[in-house]
Amino acid sequence: MRFDDHREVITAAGRDFGRTLAIRLADLGAEVFLSARNLAAAERVRDEIRGKIRDQRQQQVHAFSCDLTDPASIRDFAADVARHTDRVDVLINNGSRYLEGPDLQSASDADIVDTIASGATGTVLTVKNFLPLLLNSDKPDVVTMISACGTAGHQRSDAHDAFYTAKNAQTGFTEILSKRLRPQGVRVISLYPPDFANPDPLSGEWETTPREAKDALTAQSLVECILFAVAQPRDCFIKSFHFEQA
C-alpha cells in the first residue's frame, strides 16, 4: 500500500500519535503537512522524517505552527499550506488537548476552556478552513481521531469532564459533516479508540510490540485502520471505527 500521490495534513503532529502518523505516512510516500502548537516541535518531527528518507522526498515534508484554540492561527495554517499545494487529499484531525481528572473542580477555568476549544472549536475550524483544498482533490477524506470518550454512555476513562465534552462535540460534528459532505464526494472517517500503546515508529519497538488478542490496542493497528479506509474505492464510505476496550 503506497500513498505517493497523496497530500496529507496532520494536526498536533509534534509528538505522540500525530508524530507516528506523520512518520508512517511519509514512509509510504505521502507529502505531509504537519503542524504543532509549537513550531519547534513540528520542525523537529519534520527533521526526523527528512533524516530517515534521505532522498528527493525530503522536500515533501513540511512543518507549520497551529494553535487549535486560536482561529487566526488555524486560518494562517491553512493559508500557508495553500501556498505549497492546490489540494489536500486527507485532513487528519489529531489535535485535542487531554485533561485528566474525574473531579470537575480539579481543573482551572482556563484549562477547561483550552481543552474544549482545542478539541471542539479547533476541529470545526480546521475542517472549515481546509475544505476548499479538500474539494480540489478527487479523493478527499477527513479523518478525526476522537476517543472512546466520545461514544454514548462511556464512563471508563479518568479524563476530565471537559475532555468528554470536547470528544462528544467532535462526534456530533463528524456525524452531521459526513451526511452533508457526501454529495461532494468527501468521506468523513472517525476513530474511537480506548487508551492504546504508541511505540516509537523509529525504534525497534514498532515491530516487536505484542499485538495479540490479550494485548492492548496499538498505534500500528490504528494507522492501519486509517490507511485501509482511505485506500477504499470512492463508493465505500467507512464512517467510523469502534474498538473493544480490554
Side-chain angles (χ1 to χ4, degrees), residues 213-245:
K214 68 181 187 306
D215 299 310
L217 181 67
T218 62
Q220 291 96 316
S221 293
L222 290 174
V223 171
E224 288 167 15
C225 285
I226 293 171
L227 299 179
F228 174 79
V230 169
Q232 294 308 299
R234 299 307 299 181
D235 66 331
C236 180
F237 281 65
I238 297 176
K239 186 175 178 180
S240 60
F241 289 90
H242 293 265
F243 304 87
E244 188 75 29
Q245 187 163 355

Side-chain angles (χ1 to χ4, degrees), residues 95-96 145-147 149-150 162-172 192:
S96 181
M145 290 297 299
I146 301 182
S147 164
C149 293
F163 182 76
Y164 269 94
T165 300
K167 291 302 168 180
N168 278 273
Q170 285 182 320
T171 295
Y192 294 86

Side-chain angles (χ1 to χ4, degrees), residues 42-115:
E43 291 175 335
R44 184 167 57 250
V45 176
R46 177 201 63 192
D47 294 344
E48 283 185 300
I49 296 171
R50 287 181 175 178
K52 186 174 186 290
I53 294 175
R54 298 186 180 280
D55 61 24
Q56 67 273 14
R57 288 181 297 132
Q58 287 185 337
Q59 301 311 308
Q60 292 187 325
V61 186
H62 315 273
F64 306 88
S65 64
C66 180
D67 182 347
L68 293 172
T69 68
D70 181 355
S73 181
I74 297 171
R75 288 194 300 271
D76 289 344
F77 175 34
D80 288 342
V81 171
R83 282 188 272 273
H84 288 79
T85 178
D86 62 351
R87 77 169 202 271
V88 167
D89 300 307
V90 183
L91 168 63
I92 302 179
N93 294 307
N94 176 68
S96 181
R97 176 182 172 178
Y98 179 74
L99 188 62
E100 190 172 9
D103 178 8
L104 179 60
Q105 301 291 336
S106 65
S108 69
D109 290 355
D111 284 340
I112 290 172
V113 168
D114 191 73
T115 300

Side-chain angles (χ1 to χ4, degrees), residues 124-210:
V124 174
L125 291 181
T126 299
V127 175
K128 176 180 181 287
N129 282 277
F130 277 98
L131 189 56
L133 290 174
L134 285 162
L135 293 176
N136 284 342
S137 170
D138 61 358
K139 47 184 179 292
D141 291 313
V142 175
V143 177
T144 304
M145 290 297 299
I146 301 182
S147 164
C149 293
T151 58
H154 187 275
Q155 54 182 329
R156 295 181 63 178
S157 173
D158 286 333
H160 191 273
D161 306 62
F163 182 76
Y164 269 94
T165 300
K167 291 302 168 180
N168 278 273
Q170 285 182 320
T171 295
F173 175 61
T174 55
E175 284 283 339
I176 192 63
L177 193 71
S178 180
K179 293 177 175 62
R180 291 180 174 176
L181 289 186
R182 178 164 186 160
Q184 299 174 76
V186 183
R187 300 185 300 196
V188 179
I189 304 157
S190 301
L191 288 84
Y192 294 86
D195 292 341
F196 59 92
N198 186 34
D200 186 342
L202 298 181
S203 75
E205 287 183 275
W206 185 258
E207 300 297 335
T208 61
T209 297

Side-chain angles (χ1 to χ4, degrees), residues 4-25:
D4 297 282
D5 193 36
H6 274 76
R7 299 174 187 178
E8 315 224 0
V9 170
I10 309 168
T11 63
R15 58 187 177 88
D16 298 336
F17 187 62
R19 171 179 173 269
T20 295
L21 281 170
I23 291 169
R24 292 298 300 134
L25 288 167

